Amino acid sequence: MQGKIVKGIAGFYYVNTKEDKLYECKAKGVFRNKSQKPLVGDNVCIDIIDEEELKGNITKLLPRKNELIRPAVANVDLALVVFAISNPKPNLNLLDKFLVMMEYMDVKTIICFNKVDETTKSDIEDYKKIYEPAGYKVLFTSTYNGEGIDELKSIIKGKTIVFAGPSGVGKSSILNSIMDDELMDTGEISKKIGRGKHTTRHSEIFRLGHDTYIFDTPGFSTIFVPQIDENNLRFYYPEFAPYENQCKYNGCVHVNEPGCALKEAIESGEVSKVRYENYKEIFEELKNNKKY
């Protein structure tokens, strides 16, 4: 029997089958011997060991479309990264690290700025100017007044989506709005540190209708991208591509080299200075990681 892993916790995997049954399964020892670990989102084959109690064993992992490391999920069509536009203000360096990871994994990403009822039109336009020229779809939502929720529902229909973002940005509230049901505790914002409590502690899939799956993942406060060489980082900034062959030196990494066409584009306003400053910070972080 085949199904999809919709939750993994404490060594148990919960597999949803085409018959719309949910089996509690364990992975057989063969996976440990092959250094394979089932992930939420994996399509698998299972053997039923107790139909009445809905228990089984995972016997085979089917080929993956893709695999994310953080969050650890598989077979993703689209990533939706959620940041609050205020309370707390978005950490754009953290956002850009996430975007780099998704570009590296070749997963299309949509940026969602939530809590737009708490900000100004000027702020909204500023964030559009940073990310839309880079080729990203940018949504602005509010679970308070419902702004952007219908558009979001339309975008995710028929896809397998990963919801990601820091704690306290309203991910759970957005999911509740999409599902029209209070499926998760939304938690309270800690006023002391301006962050949310970690209301989601493990990766889990929610199914909408018959063809839409949503991964909700634990909130993150840091992201590291050590598997990327700093000299290749520029390839994961889509808006840098037009300037790749226009620099004075071949292989220009757009940091210290003279005659850099990208830096000229930044000075003229063609490319976001905010994105470029984050690029340089991530570049140095990757460079320093290689020393240890």
Side-chain angles (χ1 to χ4, degrees):
M1 182 181 291
Q2 291 187 10
K4 181 184 286 287
I5 298 176
V6 296
K7 182 192 292 188
I9 186 169
F12 290 95
Y13 300 93
Y14 296 85
V15 178
N16 186 234
T17 66
K18 293 179 180 178
E19 294 77 18
D20 206 24
K21 293 183 178 181
L22 188 66
Y23 290 87
E24 181 184 88
C25 300
K26 282 200 167 185
K28 299 195 73 174
V30 64
F31 296 110
R32 289 191 296 273
N33 296 336
K34 294 180 179 179
S35 298
Q36 289 181 314
K37 181 181 179 181
L39 297 177
V40 171
D42 267 329
N43 297 308
V44 297
C45 295
I46 64 173
D47 282 344
I48 309 304
I49 57 177
D50 190 327
E51 180 62 46
E52 186 175 341
E53 295 293 326
L54 295 177
K55 294 183 182 295
N57 284 325
I58 296 173
T59 58
K60 183 179 181 181
L61 297 181
L62 299 179
R64 289 171 179 161
K65 173 181 177 179
N66 52 36
E67 173 187 343
L68 305 187
I69 299 172
R70 294 181 183 178
V73 295
N75 299 315
V76 175
D77 294 322
L78 181 69
L80 184 90
V81 59
V82 182
F83 276 73
I85 204 165
S86 65
N87 298 323
K89 278 279 190 181
N91 180 335
L92 299 187
N93 181 279
L94 190 62
L95 171 54
D96 283 357
K97 285 182 178 179
F98 184 88
L99 295 176
V100 166
M101 274 210 320
M102 295 302 102
E103 292 288 341
Y104 179 79
M105 299 289 183
D106 197 26
V107 176
K108 182 180 178 181
T109 305
I110 290 177
I111 301 166
C112 176
F113 288 110
N114 193 33
K115 304 185 182 181
V116 292
D117 55 284
E118 300 179 15
T119 193
T120 64
K121 288 184 178 180
S122 175
D123 280 345
I124 290 173
E125 289 304 314
D126 286 344
Y127 290 121
K128 280 184 179 180
K129 289 176 182 177
I130 294 171
Y131 289 101
E132 286 186 346
Y136 293 105
K137 171 74 174 175
V138 184
L139 291 178
F140 296 90
T141 60
S142 168
T143 55
Y144 177 76
N145 61 25
E147 183 175 346
I149 299 300
D150 286 342
E151 183 181 4
L152 180 55
K153 287 181 180 179
S154 175
I155 288 171
I156 68 174
K157 184 174 175 56
K159 297 181 178 67
T160 298
I161 314 296
V162 60
F163 262 54
S167 299
V169 299
K171 282 195 303 139
S172 295
S173 296
I174 290 174
L175 281 171
N176 289 335
S177 296
I178 291 171
M179 297 177 181
D180 300 318
D181 194 6
E182 293 291 323
L183 293 180
M184 290 174 294
D185 294 330
T186 54
E188 296 179 351
I189 299 296
S190 170
K191 294 181 180 178
K192 183 176 180 181
I193 61 174
R195 292 182 181 174
K197 296 179 180 179
H198 288 261
T199 53
T200 307
R201 293 177 176 84
H202 52 269
S203 295
E204 183 172 359
I205 289 182
F206 299 96
R207 191 172 77 172
L208 295 180
H210 296 290
D211 58 356
T212 303
Y213 289 91
I214 297 177
F215 297 91
D216 186 42
T217 61
F220 58 76
S221 57
T222 58
I223 291 178
F224 299 98
V225 282
Q227 68 270 48
I228 298 174
D229 186 284
E230 76 273 12
N231 294 312
N232 293 328
L233 178 63
R234 66 190 191 275
F235 299 127
Y236 305 109
Y237 274 70
E239 69 271 41
F240 290 7
Y243 308 96
E244 181 62 27
N245 297 317
Q246 297 182 26
C247 297
K248 182 177 180 180
Y249 297 102
N250 290 333
C252 178
V253 297
H254 314 309
V255 178
N256 297 316
E257 301 91 336
C260 175
L262 177 66
K263 285 190 276 189
E264 292 174 5
I266 291 160
E267 290 301 318
S268 67
E270 295 174 39
V271 175
S272 165
K273 188 173 183 179
V274 172
R275 286 270 289 167
Y276 178 64
E277 291 300 322
N278 287 339
Y279 167 81
K280 289 194 294 183
E281 288 183 18
I282 298 169
F283 182 94
E284 288 301 319
E285 183 178 318
L286 292 172
K287 184 178 178 180
N288 291 333
N289 283 346
K290 289 169 63 174
K291 297 178 181 178
Y292 302 101

